[in-house]
Amino acid sequence: MGSMKDRLPKDWRAVLKDVLDSPEFAALEAFVAEERREHTVYPSEEDLFSAFRLTPYENVKVLLLGQDPYHGPGQAHGLAFSVQPGVKPPPSLVNIFKELQSDVGAPKPGDGSLVPWAEQGVLLLNAVLTVRQGEPNSHAGHGWEHFTDAVIQKVSEKPEAVVFILWGSYAQKKKALIDTSRHLVLEAVHPSPLSAKKGFFGSKPFSGVNKALKKAGREPIDWELPS
């Protein structure tokens, strides 16, 4: 089984050494282990660090920040906003796909898996990486934020330009961790059904990212997902 940090790929482990060796991370590890013993926790241990496995540190071009994993069975698999293949896309993801279609003309994807984005350098990072089944935000405030803030800071320290996408006020608070003199931050309201009509639709994040990457001399992202 090994410790939680052993599941993190080597490259990220090296970059995040300080936070992984901190007492906060040790406390977080104990909390998550206890929760897994007592409750059903998502995502599975295997999927906990999928985002880091699919997007090596040196490949990160875009960081898309989510808040909390999906809390229904079979949904969360360690990538913000993404659901496992074959699972019906939740409402926020449906809205992301609507904007994807109107922004870059991509057809409606066949399912809600965002793995192809991750494989191209889009780090799909949630601020909190675990959740108790059926209880949103149940693992907030237990140390994940300390870890993921360090991830955001380390991505901001990369020498190449990175585009950060911050949707909603929770994500936008993390702007303080980013060197905005070197990186582009794209902000919009959250794609959830409660707020999407207030400025998420029409925010054109996907073409915005590619414009910024091209300007920085980097390869743009092919946002089209298998339909």
Side-chain angles (χ1 to χ4, degrees):
M1 143 87 207
S3 71
M4 198 157 75
K5 63 180 131 186
D6 294 341
R7 295 186 172 274
L8 203 59
K10 273 203 186 86
D11 62 326
W12 281 103
R13 235 182 310 173
V15 169
L16 297 166
K17 188 180 181 323
D18 292 352
V19 71
L20 294 172
D21 292 341
S22 69
E24 288 90 343
F25 194 82
L28 168 67
E29 195 157 29
F31 166 75
V32 174
E34 177 67 15
E35 284 284 295
R36 287 200 190 276
R37 276 194 296 274
E38 303 280 327
H39 305 277
T40 301
V41 170
Y42 300 128
S44 69
E45 284 180 74
E46 291 68 41
D47 283 339
L48 178 62
F49 292 129
S50 303
F52 301 90
R53 204 170 51 241
L54 291 164
T55 313
Y57 180 69
E58 65 168 39
N59 292 9
V60 179
K61 288 178 176 175
V62 180
L63 190 154
L64 172 53
L65 187 66
Q67 188 166 351
D68 196 47
Y70 294 121
H71 53 84
Q75 292 180 313
H77 63 138
L79 301 176
F81 295 106
S82 178
V83 286
Q84 297 187 48
V87 174
K88 185 172 178 277
S92 288
L93 189 54
V94 169
N95 286 339
I96 289 169
F97 289 160
K98 282 181 186 162
E99 180 61 18
L100 182 67
Q101 202 165 2
S102 77
D103 181 7
V104 296
K108 190 178 165 193
D111 63 34
S113 169
L114 305 180
V115 167
W117 292 359
E119 290 173 338
Q120 295 179 74
V122 181
L123 184 65
L124 297 162
L125 180 70
N126 276 319
V128 175
L129 296 187
T130 52
V131 69
R132 203 185 279 184
Q133 175 175 339
E135 297 183 37
N137 292 315
S138 47
H139 286 187
H142 287 279
W144 276 125
E145 297 88 345
H146 180 250
F147 171 77
T148 55
D149 281 1
V151 174
I152 295 167
Q153 281 168 312
K154 290 297 180 187
V155 171
S156 175
E157 284 168 21
K158 279 170 64 85
E160 323 85 344
V162 174
V163 187
F164 291 80
I165 306 176
L166 306 178
W167 288 334
S169 56
Y170 179 88
Q172 285 157 14
K173 290 193 183 85
K174 305 291 182 181
K175 191 174 178 177
L177 304 168
I178 301 163
D179 179 352
T180 52
S181 69
R182 298 194 307 114
H183 304 294
L184 182 69
V185 177
L186 295 178
E187 299 177 73
V189 300
H190 197 276
S192 96
L194 300 169
S195 55
K197 289 188 175 63
K198 296 176 189 150
F200 173 74
F201 293 133
S203 62
K204 301 197 181 307
F206 308 103
S207 58
V209 164
N210 282 353
K211 238 179 252 161
L213 289 174
K214 280 183 195 150
K215 197 174 156 189
R218 307 195 75 187
E219 195 64 26
I221 305 291
D222 176 5
W223 293 106
E224 194 167 315
L225 295 160
S227 54

